[in-house]
Amino acid sequence: MSESGSAEAHLHAATLRRLEQSSGRLAANAIARMGETLPWYRAMPPENRSWIGLVAQAGIAAFTEWFRHPETPQAISTDVFGTAPRELTRAITLRQTVEMVRTTIEVMESAIDEVAAPGDESALREALLIYAREIAFATAQVYAQAAEARGAWDARLESLVVNAVLSGEADEGALSRAAALGWNSPEHVIVVLGTAPDGDSELTVEAIRRAARHAKLQVLTGVLGDRLVVIAGGSDDPIRTAKDLIGPFAAGPVVAGPVVGDLVSATRSAHAAAAGLRACAAWPDAPRPVIADDVLPERAMAGDASAREQLVEEIYRPLEEAGSALLETLSVYLEQASSLEGAARMLFVHPNTVRYRLRRVTDVTGWSPSDVRSAFTLRVALILGRLADAEMQL
């Protein structure tokens, strides 16, 4: 080794000793500076401040080791953030971490003249500049890894909630998981189902979230097989909700279940939407999106027991309670191909009487006999009601 090289090595060794001796004081000064200049640090509980203190000490110790062997690659993120990686990324934001690192570097930089051996100031300053760059990259890496892990965990959690709702197993556990994802229990919940597009399901889910933010809706969503499932909260209008979210769905029917009051009850909305989606094959001209209740006849024919019950309880029974004249008039009117005059002749009444009774049918059921689609629904309800009565008599 040349005489100049020997002198540099001597200076370097001397600076290292002084740096090691000063590391504790430098860390304390950095913590004190944070307390003076960073309001968010002062507002933190003692436990969080202690984590930050550990990271600051680890950062200075890592710089000392890096200065000792600058030619050896160092895993800075492990050296510095290994003390409390998960706690740190949860306790403070990336911006706050950058401020913490910058404050620590500034304290070290201000002490260069004091810490460096005489004549070694430039070498120490240059090393600190390089280290500051490396620590910045390490900070970004730590937060990127934490965000990726958190995103993967959230996706699994969301999938569990969506599966629970769709399978009828939603309970308090599902509510807790949804709350962890930011679901704040809106009053109105609607489940929307359709076909998922080909390609990356994560892109589809993100597209649903963008649409939901634009519509000011809360959503829990996922791709299950070939289905795209959206649990939407914050709206009491199923069609409006489905239209707001329909963009990411693939071609084919999109069905909105009925409005329910909470996430646990969303199982009922999901069941209706799923049954409606299957039944849409029998109604090729169904609007897109369509409400599950608008597919009640097809759902009933496809074997959906809840649709059969709904048709009987919401159409047939109210007509039965309103008096035999309404049931008889509706039945004859439908049998006479929706002809007022034909029904009047069969009933031996004036056509105006038939017209009045049909308006009463609409008032009682919400379905108009003069509308082709509604007439079909009313006809199926009459058939199912009569079958139910016959079963009761057995």
Side-chain angles (χ1 to χ4, degrees):
M1 180 182 295
S2 66
E3 186 175 337
S4 61
S6 177
E8 287 178 5
H10 179 75
L11 281 176
H12 194 74
T15 299
L16 260 175
R17 287 194 299 272
R18 297 173 70 160
L19 190 58
E20 290 169 345
Q21 294 167 358
S22 303
S23 60
R25 178 171 54 81
L26 289 173
N29 290 345
I31 295 300
R33 179 77 65 84
M34 291 181 208
E36 294 170 0
T37 61
L38 304 178
W40 57 264
Y41 175 80
R42 294 194 299 271
M44 278 189 160
E47 182 181 10
N48 289 0
R49 290 201 301 270
S50 70
W51 288 339
I52 293 173
L54 287 174
V55 172
Q57 292 173 20
I60 294 171
F63 171 68
T64 302
E65 190 61 27
W66 185 82
F67 187 71
R68 185 192 311 276
H69 303 291
E71 72 286 349
T72 304
Q74 300 290 326
I76 292 179
S77 62
T78 302
D79 294 340
V80 177
F81 296 105
T83 53
R86 185 175 301 174
E87 291 84 350
L88 178 66
T89 55
R90 290 181 178 178
I92 64 175
T93 65
L94 175 58
R95 179 185 60 80
Q96 290 169 340
T97 303
V98 170
E99 291 178 348
M100 175 195 73
V101 170
R102 184 170 58 224
T103 300
T104 304
I105 294 295
E106 287 173 353
V107 167
M108 295 177 67
E109 191 174 20
S110 66
I112 285 178
D113 292 338
E114 177 185 347
V115 172
D120 204 27
E121 294 87 353
S122 295
L124 184 59
R125 184 172 287 106
E126 181 179 352
L128 186 60
L129 286 173
I130 297 172
Y131 182 77
R133 182 193 65 190
E134 296 300 319
I135 201 70
F137 289 145
T139 302
Q141 181 182 24
V142 165
Y143 273 84
Q145 290 171 343
E148 184 177 352
R150 190 159 50 243
W153 171 251
D154 286 353
R156 288 194 294 271
L157 207 60
E158 191 167 15
S159 179
L160 286 174
V161 175
V162 172
N163 267 303
V165 169
L166 212 60
S167 63
E169 299 174 356
D171 54 15
E172 292 300 321
L175 284 176
S176 298
R177 296 185 187 100
L181 294 166
W183 182 266
N184 64 7
S185 300
E187 292 183 2
H188 305 107
V189 180
I190 298 164
V191 176
V192 181
L193 289 181
T195 304
D198 295 332
D200 192 338
S201 61
E202 291 184 9
L203 295 178
T204 300
V205 166
E206 184 54 38
I208 287 288
R209 292 201 179 104
R210 284 197 303 272
R213 286 194 294 269
H214 181 73
K216 295 180 172 55
L217 296 170
Q218 295 184 57
V219 293
L220 297 166
T221 184
V223 175
L224 305 180
D226 63 348
R227 286 185 181 178
L228 175 54
V229 184
V230 183
I231 304 168
S235 170
D236 60 357
D237 186 339
I239 282 294
R240 179 75 264 164
T241 298
K243 285 182 177 179
D244 286 337
L245 302 174
I246 202 169
F249 284 86
V254 173
V255 183
V259 180
V260 295
D262 54 41
L263 189 62
V264 173
S265 304
T267 289
R268 181 164 60 86
S269 184
H271 171 83
L277 191 62
R278 290 191 296 270
C280 276
W283 187 14
D285 296 326
R288 186 178 188 268
V290 64
I291 300 174
D293 282 1
D294 287 347
V295 202
L296 280 173
E298 289 83 3
R299 288 169 52 192
M301 292 179 185
D304 181 6
S306 65
R308 295 170 63 94
E309 181 180 356
Q310 190 173 342
L311 285 167
V312 172
E313 296 302 322
E314 295 184 4
I315 295 178
Y316 183 79
R317 297 299 176 207
L319 287 174
E320 189 178 47
E321 293 169 4
S324 59
L326 291 190
L327 272 176
E328 183 184 21
T329 300
L330 176 62
S331 178
V332 171
Y333 174 76
L334 295 174
E335 292 296 335
Q336 293 299 312
S338 301
S339 168
L340 285 172
E341 289 76 12
R345 284 194 300 270
M346 293 295 295
L347 294 166
F348 301 103
V349 297
H350 193 278
N352 284 341
T353 301
V354 175
R355 187 178 288 108
Y356 168 76
R357 290 176 181 175
L358 294 179
R359 284 200 300 267
R360 287 280 297 127
V361 169
T362 302
D363 293 339
V364 170
T365 67
W367 300 85
S368 172
S370 62
D371 175 79
V372 175
R373 179 69 193 175
S374 294
F376 174 56
T377 303
L378 290 166
R379 183 185 290 274
V380 173
L382 291 184
I383 295 170
L384 293 174
R386 289 165 182 156
L387 289 173
D389 285 347
E391 289 175 3
M392 291 171 61
Q393 293 171 5
L394 294 177

PDB file of all heavy atoms in Angstrom, residues 268-302:
ATOM      1  N   ARG A 268     -80.150 -12.817   0.825  1.00  0.00           N
ATOM      2  CA  ARG A 268     -81.440 -12.899   0.134  1.00  0.00           C
ATOM      3  C   ARG A 268     -81.381 -12.203  -1.218  1.00  0.00           C
ATOM      4  O   ARG A 268     -81.894 -12.697  -2.226  1.00  0.00           O
ATOM      5  CB  ARG A 268     -82.532 -12.277   1.014  1.00  0.00           C
ATOM      6  CG  ARG A 268     -83.919 -12.333   0.408  1.00  0.00           C
ATOM      7  CD  ARG A 268     -84.982 -12.075   1.466  1.00  0.00           C
ATOM      8  NE  ARG A 268     -84.821 -10.775   2.084  1.00  0.00           N
ATOM      9  CZ  ARG A 268     -85.343  -9.649   1.589  1.00  0.00           C
ATOM     10  NH1 ARG A 268     -86.008  -9.674   0.436  1.00  0.00           N
ATOM     11  NH2 ARG A 268     -85.182  -8.504   2.207  1.00  0.00           N
ATOM     12  N   SER A 269     -80.732 -11.037  -1.251  1.00  0.00           N
ATOM     13  CA  SER A 269     -80.577 -10.319  -2.516  1.00  0.00           C
ATOM     14  C   SER A 269     -79.710 -11.121  -3.484  1.00  0.00           C
ATOM     15  O   SER A 269     -79.998 -11.189  -4.685  1.00  0.00           O
ATOM     16  CB  SER A 269     -79.955  -8.942  -2.255  1.00  0.00           C
ATOM     17  OG  SER A 269     -79.879  -8.176  -3.429  1.00  0.00           O
ATOM     18  N   ALA A 270     -78.665 -11.751  -2.955  1.00  0.00           N
ATOM     19  CA  ALA A 270     -77.770 -12.550  -3.797  1.00  0.00           C
ATOM     20  C   ALA A 270     -78.491 -13.767  -4.367  1.00  0.00           C
ATOM     21  O   ALA A 270     -78.315 -14.124  -5.529  1.00  0.00           O
ATOM     22  CB  ALA A 270     -76.547 -12.983  -2.992  1.00  0.00           C
ATOM     23  N   HIS A 271     -79.309 -14.408  -3.541  1.00  0.00           N
ATOM     24  CA  HIS A 271     -80.052 -15.591  -4.011  1.00  0.00           C
ATOM     25  C   HIS A 271     -80.991 -15.200  -5.153  1.00  0.00           C
ATOM     26  O   HIS A 271     -81.067 -15.899  -6.177  1.00  0.00           O
ATOM     27  CB  HIS A 271     -80.858 -16.191  -2.861  1.00  0.00           C
ATOM     28  CG  HIS A 271     -81.819 -17.264  -3.303  1.00  0.00           C
ATOM     29  ND1 HIS A 271     -81.451 -18.571  -3.500  1.00  0.00           N
ATOM     30  CD2 HIS A 271     -83.144 -17.197  -3.628  1.00  0.00           C
ATOM     31  CE1 HIS A 271     -82.491 -19.270  -3.917  1.00  0.00           C
ATOM     32  NE2 HIS A 271     -83.538 -18.462  -3.998  1.00  0.00           N
ATOM     33  N   ALA A 272     -81.713 -14.088  -4.978  1.00  0.00           N
ATOM     34  CA  ALA A 272     -82.648 -13.648  -6.021  1.00  0.00           C
ATOM     35  C   ALA A 272     -81.904 -13.291  -7.299  1.00  0.00           C
ATOM     36  O   ALA A 272     -82.345 -13.636  -8.409  1.00  0.00           O
ATOM     37  CB  ALA A 272     -83.452 -12.456  -5.519  1.00  0.00           C
ATOM     38  N   ALA A 273     -80.767 -12.601  -7.154  1.00  0.00           N
ATOM     39  CA  ALA A 273     -79.991 -12.218  -8.342  1.00  0.00           C
ATOM     40  C   ALA A 273     -79.446 -13.440  -9.059  1.00  0.00           C
ATOM     41  O   ALA A 273     -79.465 -13.513 -10.298  1.00  0.00           O
ATOM     42  CB  ALA A 273     -78.857 -11.280  -7.934  1.00  0.00           C
ATOM     43  N   ALA A 274     -78.957 -14.424  -8.297  1.00  0.00           N
ATOM     44  CA  ALA A 274     -78.406 -15.641  -8.912  1.00  0.00           C
ATOM     45  C   ALA A 274     -79.501 -16.429  -9.627  1.00  0.00           C
ATOM     46  O   ALA A 274     -79.303 -16.928 -10.741  1.00  0.00           O
ATOM     47  CB  ALA A 274     -77.741 -16.501  -7.844  1.00  0.00           C
ATOM     48  N   ALA A 275     -80.671 -16.536  -8.983  1.00  0.00           N
ATOM     49  CA  ALA A 275     -81.783 -17.239  -9.619  1.00  0.00           C
ATOM     50  C   ALA A 275     -82.236 -16.498 -10.874  1.00  0.00           C
ATOM     51  O   ALA A 275     -82.558 -17.117 -11.897  1.00  0.00           O
ATOM     52  CB  ALA A 275     -82.943 -17.376  -8.630  1.00  0.00           C
ATOM     53  N   GLY A 276     -82.257 -15.170 -10.793  1.00  0.00           N
ATOM     54  CA  GLY A 276     -82.641 -14.374 -11.949  1.00  0.00           C
ATOM     55  C   GLY A 276     -81.659 -14.528 -13.096  1.00  0.00           C
ATOM     56  O   GLY A 276     -82.052 -14.587 -14.271  1.00  0.00           O
ATOM     57  N   LEU A 277     -80.368 -14.606 -12.766  1.00  0.00           N
ATOM     58  CA  LEU A 277     -79.346 -14.752 -13.803  1.00  0.00           C
ATOM     59  C   LEU A 277     -79.517 -16.078 -14.545  1.00  0.00           C
ATOM     60  O   LEU A 277     -79.410 -16.145 -15.771  1.00  0.00           O
ATOM     61  CB  LEU A 277     -77.956 -14.662 -13.164  1.00  0.00           C
ATOM     62  CG  LEU A 277     -76.765 -14.535 -14.109  1.00  0.00           C
ATOM     63  CD1 LEU A 277     -76.853 -13.261 -14.934  1.00  0.00           C
ATOM     64  CD2 LEU A 277     -75.455 -14.562 -13.315  1.00  0.00           C
ATOM     65  N   ARG A 278     -79.818 -17.144 -13.796  1.00  0.00           N
ATOM     66  CA  ARG A 278     -80.048 -18.455 -14.440  1.00  0.00           C
ATOM     67  C   ARG A 278     -81.314 -18.428 -15.298  1.00  0.00           C
ATOM     68  O   ARG A 278     -81.355 -18.976 -16.390  1.00  0.00           O
ATOM     69  CB  ARG A 278     -80.167 -19.552 -13.373  1.00  0.00           C
ATOM     70  CG  ARG A 278     -78.870 -19.878 -12.652  1.00  0.00           C
ATOM     71  CD  ARG A 278     -79.025 -21.135 -11.811  1.00  0.00           C
ATOM     72  NE  ARG A 278     -80.008 -20.952 -10.753  1.00  0.00           N
ATOM     73  CZ  ARG A 278     -79.719 -20.502  -9.534  1.00  0.00           C
ATOM     74  NH1 ARG A 278     -78.464 -20.172  -9.225  1.00  0.00           N
ATOM     75  NH2 ARG A 278     -80.659 -20.376  -8.618  1.00  0.00           N
ATOM     76  N   ALA A 279     -82.340 -17.758 -14.787  1.00  0.00           N
ATOM     77  CA  ALA A 279     -83.634 -17.764 -15.470  1.00  0.00           C
ATOM     78  C   ALA A 279     -83.666 -16.872 -16.700  1.00  0.00           C
ATOM     79  O   ALA A 279     -84.563 -17.013 -17.539  1.00  0.00           O
ATOM     80  CB  ALA A 279     -84.736 -17.327 -14.493  1.00  0.00           C
ATOM     81  N   CYS A 280     -82.709 -15.961 -16.822  1.00  0.00           N
ATOM     82  CA  CYS A 280     -82.698 -15.045 -17.981  1.00  0.00           C
ATOM     83  C   CYS A 280     -82.569 -15.789 -19.302  1.00  0.00           C
ATOM     84  O   CYS A 280     -82.915 -15.243 -20.357  1.00  0.00           O
ATOM     85  CB  CYS A 280     -81.571 -14.021 -17.840  1.00  0.00           C
ATOM     86  SG  CYS A 280     -82.035 -12.579 -16.825  1.00  0.00           S
ATOM     87  N   ALA A 281     -82.100 -17.038 -19.253  1.00  0.00           N
ATOM     88  CA  ALA A 281     -82.016 -17.830 -20.481  1.00  0.00           C
ATOM     89  C   ALA A 281     -83.395 -18.030 -21.097  1.00  0.00           C
ATOM     90  O   ALA A 281     -83.533 -18.207 -22.314  1.00  0.00           O
ATOM     91  CB  ALA A 281     -81.373 -19.185 -20.181  1.00  0.00           C
ATOM     92  N   ALA A 282     -84.454 -17.978 -20.256  1.00  0.00           N
ATOM     93  CA  ALA A 282     -85.820 -18.161 -20.754  1.00  0.00           C
ATOM     94  C   ALA A 282     -86.448 -16.850 -21.215  1.00  0.00           C
ATOM     95  O   ALA A 282     -87.569 -16.861 -21.727  1.00  0.00           O
ATOM     96  CB  ALA A 282     -86.688 -18.782 -19.649  1.00  0.00           C
ATOM     97  N   TRP A 283     -85.734 -15.766 -21.041  1.00  0.00           N
ATOM     98  CA  TRP A 283     -86.264 -14.459 -21.475  1.00  0.00           C
ATOM     99  C   TRP A 283     -85.145 -13.740 -22.232  1.00  0.00           C
ATOM    100  O   TRP A 283     -84.497 -12.839 -21.711  1.00  0.00           O
ATOM    101  CB  TRP A 283     -86.728 -13.636 -20.269  1.00  0.00           C
ATOM    102  CG  TRP A 283     -87.425 -12.355 -20.615  1.00  0.00           C
ATOM    103  CD1 TRP A 283     -87.912 -11.983 -21.815  1.00  0.00           C
ATOM    104  CD2 TRP A 283     -87.700 -11.269 -19.716  1.00  0.00           C
ATOM    105  NE1 TRP A 283     -88.487 -10.726 -21.748  1.00  0.00           N
ATOM    106  CE2 TRP A 283     -88.375 -10.270 -20.472  1.00  0.00           C
ATOM    107  CE3 TRP A 283     -87.460 -11.047 -18.369  1.00  0.00           C
ATOM    108  CZ2 TRP A 283     -88.784  -9.067 -19.905  1.00  0.00           C
ATOM    109  CZ3 TRP A 283     -87.877  -9.856 -17.796  1.00  0.00           C
ATOM    110  CH2 TRP A 283     -88.537  -8.875 -18.561  1.00  0.00           C
ATOM    111  N   PRO A 284     -84.886 -14.121 -23.453  1.00  0.00           N
ATOM    112  CA  PRO A 284     -83.759 -13.556 -24.213  1.00  0.00           C
ATOM    113  C   PRO A 284     -83.829 -12.047 -24.379  1.00  0.00           C
ATOM    114  O   PRO A 284     -82.795 -11.397 -24.530  1.00  0.00           O
ATOM    115  CB  PRO A 284     -83.861 -14.263 -25.570  1.00  0.00           C
ATOM    116  CG  PRO A 284     -84.670 -15.482 -25.319  1.00  0.00           C
ATOM    117  CD  PRO A 284     -85.624 -15.122 -24.234  1.00  0.00           C
ATOM    118  N   ASP A 285     -85.045 -11.504 -24.387  1.00  0.00           N
ATOM    119  CA  ASP A 285     -85.205 -10.062 -24.599  1.00  0.00           C
ATOM    120  C   ASP A 285     -85.279  -9.275 -23.296  1.00  0.00           C
ATOM    121  O   ASP A 285     -85.744  -8.126 -23.294  1.00  0.00           O
ATOM    122  CB  ASP A 285     -86.467  -9.796 -25.430  1.00  0.00           C
ATOM    123  CG  ASP A 285     -86.370 -10.389 -26.826  1.00  0.00           C
ATOM    124  OD1 ASP A 285     -85.248 -10.409 -27.374  1.00  0.00           O
ATOM    125  OD2 ASP A 285     -87.404 -10.845 -27.355  1.00  0.00           O
ATOM    126  N   ALA A 286     -84.848  -9.879 -22.206  1.00  0.00           N
ATOM    127  CA  ALA A 286     -84.881  -9.167 -20.926  1.00  0.00           C
ATOM    128  C   ALA A 286     -84.010  -7.913 -21.005  1.00  0.00           C
ATOM    129  O   ALA A 286     -82.952  -7.913 -21.649  1.00  0.00           O
ATOM    130  CB  ALA A 286     -84.362 -10.075 -19.813  1.00  0.00           C
ATOM    131  N   PRO A 287     -84.446  -6.822 -20.376  1.00  0.00           N
ATOM    132  CA  PRO A 287     -83.613  -5.611 -20.384  1.00  0.00           C
ATOM    133  C   PRO A 287     -82.293  -5.861 -19.669  1.00  0.00           C
ATOM    134  O   PRO A 287     -82.167  -6.799 -18.881  1.00  0.00           O
ATOM    135  CB  PRO A 287     -84.475  -4.587 -19.645  1.00  0.00           C
ATOM    136  CG  PRO A 287     -85.441  -5.393 -18.838  1.00  0.00           C
ATOM    137  CD  PRO A 287     -85.690  -6.641 -19.602  1.00  0.00           C
ATOM    138  N   ARG A 288     -81.330  -5.025 -19.947  1.00  0.00           N
ATOM    139  CA  ARG A 288     -80.008  -5.149 -19.318  1.00  0.00           C
ATOM    140  C   ARG A 288     -79.609  -3.798 -18.738  1.00  0.00           C
ATOM    141  O   ARG A 288     -79.415  -2.861 -19.507  1.00  0.00           O
ATOM    142  CB  ARG A 288     -78.974  -5.608 -20.338  1.00  0.00           C
ATOM    143  CG  ARG A 288     -77.592  -5.905 -19.743  1.00  0.00           C
ATOM    144  CD  ARG A 288     -76.655  -6.410 -20.839  1.00  0.00           C
ATOM    145  NE  ARG A 288     -75.403  -6.880 -20.304  1.00  0.00           N
ATOM    146  CZ  ARG A 288     -74.310  -6.122 -20.164  1.00  0.00           C
ATOM    147  NH1 ARG A 288     -74.321  -4.847 -20.510  1.00  0.00           N
ATOM    148  NH2 ARG A 288     -73.197  -6.622 -19.667  1.00  0.00           N
ATOM    149  N   PRO A 289     -79.570  -3.693 -17.419  1.00  0.00           N
ATOM    150  CA  PRO A 289     -79.789  -4.724 -16.400  1.00  0.00           C
ATOM    151  C   PRO A 289     -81.280  -4.960 -16.161  1.00  0.00           C
ATOM    152  O   PRO A 289     -82.119  -4.187 -16.604  1.00  0.00           O
ATOM    153  CB  PRO A 289     -79.128  -4.118 -15.168  1.00  0.00           C
ATOM    154  CG  PRO A 289     -79.323  -2.641 -15.337  1.00  0.00           C
ATOM    155  CD  PRO A 289     -79.182  -2.388 -16.819  1.00  0.00           C
ATOM    156  N   VAL A 290     -81.559  -6.037 -15.415  1.00  0.00           N
ATOM    157  CA  VAL A 290     -82.933  -6.370 -15.073  1.00  0.00           C
ATOM    158  C   VAL A 290     -83.010  -6.631 -13.574  1.00  0.00           C
ATOM    159  O   VAL A 290     -82.037  -7.093 -12.963  1.00  0.00           O
ATOM    160  CB  VAL A 290     -83.408  -7.606 -15.862  1.00  0.00           C
ATOM    161  CG1 VAL A 290     -82.604  -8.845 -15.475  1.00  0.00           C
ATOM    162  CG2 VAL A 290     -84.899  -7.844 -15.672  1.00  0.00           C
ATOM    163  N   ILE A 291     -84.165  -6.306 -12.982  1.00  0.00           N
ATOM    164  CA  ILE A 291     -84.373  -6.581 -11.563  1.00  0.00           C
ATOM    165  C   ILE A 291     -84.758  -8.054 -11.405  1.00  0.00           C
ATOM    166  O   ILE A 291     -85.515  -8.596 -12.218  1.00  0.00           O
ATOM    167  CB  ILE A 291     -85.476  -5.677 -10.989  1.00  0.00           C
ATOM    168  CG1 ILE A 291     -85.099  -4.201 -11.146  1.00  0.00           C
ATOM    169  CG2 ILE A 291     -85.740  -5.984  -9.526  1.00  0.00           C
ATOM    170  CD1 ILE A 291     -86.195  -3.242 -10.734  1.00  0.00           C
ATOM    171  N   ALA A 292     -84.288  -8.687 -10.373  1.00  0.00           N
ATOM    172  CA  ALA A 292     -84.582 -10.102 -10.152  1.00  0.00           C
ATOM    173  C   ALA A 292     -86.086 -10.352 -10.057  1.00  0.00           C
ATOM    174  O   ALA A 292     -86.582 -11.387 -10.533  1.00  0.00           O
ATOM    175  CB  ALA A 292     -83.888 -10.585  -8.887  1.00  0.00           C
ATOM    176  N   ASP A 293     -86.836  -9.417  -9.466  1.00  0.00           N
ATOM    177  CA  ASP A 293     -88.281  -9.596  -9.335  1.00  0.00           C
ATOM    178  C   ASP A 293     -88.986  -9.555 -10.684  1.00  0.00           C
ATOM    179  O   ASP A 293     -90.109 -10.054 -10.817  1.00  0.00           O
ATOM    180  CB  ASP A 293     -88.877  -8.525  -8.418  1.00  0.00           C
ATOM    181  CG  ASP A 293     -88.622  -8.836  -6.950  1.00  0.00           C
ATOM    182  OD1 ASP A 293     -87.980  -9.862  -6.662  1.00  0.00           O
ATOM    183  OD2 ASP A 293     -89.048  -8.041  -6.085  1.00  0.00           O
ATOM    184  N   ASP A 294     -88.365  -8.937 -11.696  1.00  0.00           N
ATOM    185  CA  ASP A 294     -88.978  -8.914 -13.024  1.00  0.00           C
ATOM    186  C   ASP A 294     -88.842 -10.249 -13.737  1.00  0.00           C
ATOM    187  O   ASP A 294     -89.439 -10.449 -14.802  1.00  0.00           O
ATOM    188  CB  ASP A 294     -88.344  -7.812 -13.883  1.00  0.00           C
ATOM    189  CG  ASP A 294     -88.789  -6.422 -13.454  1.00  0.00           C
ATOM    190  OD1 ASP A 294     -89.764  -6.332 -12.677  1.00  0.00           O
ATOM    191  OD2 ASP A 294     -88.163  -5.437 -13.886  1.00  0.00           O
ATOM    192  N   VAL A 295     -88.064 -11.157 -13.169  1.00  0.00           N
ATOM    193  CA  VAL A 295     -87.872 -12.475 -13.769  1.00  0.00           C
ATOM    194  C   VAL A 295     -88.539 -13.544 -12.899  1.00  0.00           C
ATOM    195  O   VAL A 295     -88.211 -14.725 -12.983  1.00  0.00           O
ATOM    196  CB  VAL A 295     -86.364 -12.785 -13.945  1.00  0.00           C
ATOM    197  CG1 VAL A 295     -86.134 -13.856 -15.011  1.00  0.00           C
ATOM    198  CG2 VAL A 295     -85.573 -11.553 -14.325  1.00  0.00           C
ATOM    199  N   LEU A 296     -89.498 -13.131 -12.078  1.00  0.00           N
ATOM    200  CA  LEU A 296     -90.148 -14.081 -11.166  1.00  0.00           C
ATOM    201  C   LEU A 296     -90.780 -15.271 -11.880  1.00  0.00           C
ATOM    202  O   LEU A 296     -90.611 -16.418 -11.424  1.00  0.00           O
ATOM    203  CB  LEU A 296     -91.206 -13.351 -10.322  1.00  0.00           C
ATOM    204  CG  LEU A 296     -90.693 -12.563  -9.111  1.00  0.00           C
ATOM    205  CD1 LEU A 296     -91.832 -11.762  -8.486  1.00  0.00           C
ATOM    206  CD2 LEU A 296     -90.071 -13.495  -8.077  1.00  0.00           C
ATOM    207  N   PRO A 297     -91.506 -15.081 -12.986  1.00  0.00           N
ATOM    208  CA  PRO A 297     -92.118 -16.256 -13.635  1.00  0.00           C
ATOM    209  C   PRO A 297     -91.074 -17.277 -14.095  1.00  0.00           C
ATOM    210  O   PRO A 297     -91.229 -18.491 -13.861  1.00  0.00           O
ATOM    211  CB  PRO A 297     -92.867 -15.653 -14.827  1.00  0.00           C
ATOM    212  CG  PRO A 297     -93.064 -14.222 -14.486  1.00  0.00           C
ATOM    213  CD  PRO A 297     -91.871 -13.836 -13.668  1.00  0.00           C
ATOM    214  N   GLU A 298     -90.027 -16.796 -14.743  1.00  0.00           N
ATOM    215  CA  GLU A 298     -88.971 -17.705 -15.207  1.00  0.00           C
ATOM    216  C   GLU A 298     -88.251 -18.361 -14.032  1.00  0.00           C
ATOM    217  O   GLU A 298     -87.915 -19.557 -14.099  1.00  0.00           O
ATOM    218  CB  GLU A 298     -87.972 -16.936 -16.079  1.00  0.00           C
ATOM    219  CG  GLU A 298     -88.503 -16.520 -17.431  1.00  0.00           C
ATOM    220  CD  GLU A 298     -89.321 -15.232 -17.395  1.00  0.00           C
ATOM    221  OE1 GLU A 298     -89.429 -14.627 -16.309  1.00  0.00           O
ATOM    222  OE2 GLU A 298     -89.833 -14.818 -18.438  1.00  0.00           O
ATOM    223  N   ARG A 299     -88.021 -17.604 -12.982  1.00  0.00           N
ATOM    224  CA  ARG A 299     -87.379 -18.173 -11.792  1.00  0.00           C
ATOM    225  C   ARG A 299     -88.235 -19.289 -11.207  1.00  0.00           C
ATOM    226  O   ARG A 299     -87.733 -20.353 -10.815  1.00  0.00           O
ATOM    227  CB  ARG A 299     -87.135 -17.094 -10.749  1.00  0.00           C
ATOM    228  CG  ARG A 299     -86.026 -16.117 -11.098  1.00  0.00           C
ATOM    229  CD  ARG A 299     -86.026 -14.916 -10.156  1.00  0.00           C
ATOM    230  NE  ARG A 299     -86.006 -15.323  -8.751  1.00  0.00           N
ATOM    231  CZ  ARG A 299     -86.229 -14.492  -7.727  1.00  0.00           C
ATOM    232  NH1 ARG A 299     -86.501 -13.208  -7.982  1.00  0.00           N
ATOM    233  NH2 ARG A 299     -86.190 -14.936  -6.489  1.00  0.00           N
ATOM    234  N   ALA A 300     -89.549 -19.042 -11.123  1.00  0.00           N
ATOM    235  CA  ALA A 300     -90.456 -20.056 -10.578  1.00  0.00           C
ATOM    236  C   ALA A 300     -90.447 -21.319 -11.432  1.00  0.00           C
ATOM    237  O   ALA A 300     -90.401 -22.448 -10.916  1.00  0.00           O
ATOM    238  CB  ALA A 300     -91.871 -19.486 -10.479  1.00  0.00           C
ATOM    239  N   MET A 301     -90.460 -21.150 -12.753  1.00  0.00           N
ATOM    240  CA  MET A 301     -90.455 -22.309 -13.650  1.00  0.00           C
ATOM    241  C   MET A 301     -89.132 -23.063 -13.591  1.00  0.00           C
ATOM    242  O   MET A 301     -89.083 -24.274 -13.843  1.00  0.00           O
ATOM    243  CB  MET A 301     -90.719 -21.848 -15.086  1.00  0.00           C
ATOM    244  CG  MET A 301     -92.111 -21.330 -15.312  1.00  0.00           C
ATOM    245  SD  MET A 301     -92.347 -20.769 -17.015  1.00  0.00           S
ATOM    246  CE  MET A 301     -94.010 -20.096 -16.919  1.00  0.00           C
ATOM    247  N   ALA A 302     -88.067 -22.341 -13.263  1.00  0.00           N
ATOM    248  CA  ALA A 302     -86.747 -22.984 -13.169  1.00  0.00           C
ATOM    249  C   ALA A 302     -86.547 -23.688 -11.828  1.00  0.00           C
ATOM    250  O   ALA A 302     -85.496 -24.276 -11.587  1.00  0.00           O
ATOM    251  CB  ALA A 302     -85.650 -21.934 -13.378  1.00  0.00           C
TER     252      ALA A 302
END
